[in-house]
Amino acid sequence: MDDILEKLTTLLEERRNADPNSSYVANLHEKGLNRILEKVGEEATEVIIAAKDAGNKTDNTDVIKETADLWFHTLVMLNHLDASSAEVLEELERRFGVSGLEEKASRSQ
């Protein structure tokens, strides 16, 4: 499972230029960044709802599924912007060991 982001990145790159009538990813790219961002926002909202509902359930299945949808659409967004999950992971690694409060304060400087 360690290389799932690499596999998804490769798959998203392949599908980016596919026929929009046969590929959901190509269809999103064809519709443009605003449509992709709408999907990211929609999925983020669904994660929040699922997480709130999880308090009333015995498992987190819905939260996991909705989070997977959010991550997927975020990867499509990164791909559309010619960015990668590897860059996000590098940024997370850079922040590792840095206080969240310190990191946030450094952004405003």
Side-chain angles (χ1 to χ4, degrees):
M1 268 216 317
D2 292 342
D3 61 350
I4 189 67
L5 285 176
E6 290 176 35
K7 289 178 182 177
L8 275 170
T9 299
T10 300
L11 183 67
L12 290 174
E13 191 59 40
E14 290 170 3
R15 293 191 179 165
R16 181 177 183 167
N17 298 310
D19 178 1
N21 294 316
S22 64
S23 168
Y24 176 70
V25 171
N27 186 272
L28 283 173
H29 282 290
E30 182 180 65
K31 290 181 178 178
L33 182 60
N34 283 345
R35 179 62 184 138
I36 295 167
L37 295 176
E38 287 172 5
K39 288 301 295 180
V40 170
E42 178 184 312
E43 298 302 341
T45 299
E46 290 175 7
V47 167
I48 292 166
I49 292 167
K52 289 181 73 99
D53 290 346
N56 301 321
K57 297 181 179 179
T58 57
D59 68 58
N60 291 318
T61 302
D62 291 340
V63 175
I64 300 301
K65 289 180 177 181
E66 295 300 343
T67 301
D69 289 346
L70 175 59
W71 286 13
F72 175 82
H73 286 89
T74 301
L75 290 170
V76 172
M77 176 198 67
L78 290 170
N79 181 262
H80 192 81
L81 296 171
D82 295 321
S84 71
S85 59
E87 292 172 282
V88 175
L89 293 174
E90 288 170 10
E91 176 60 17
L92 288 171
E93 185 174 41
R94 183 192 69 76
R95 294 179 186 187
F96 198 81
V98 176
S99 159
L101 295 173
E102 289 175 25
E103 196 285 322
K104 190 168 183 174
S106 72
R107 291 189 222 166
S108 59
Q109 296 176 356

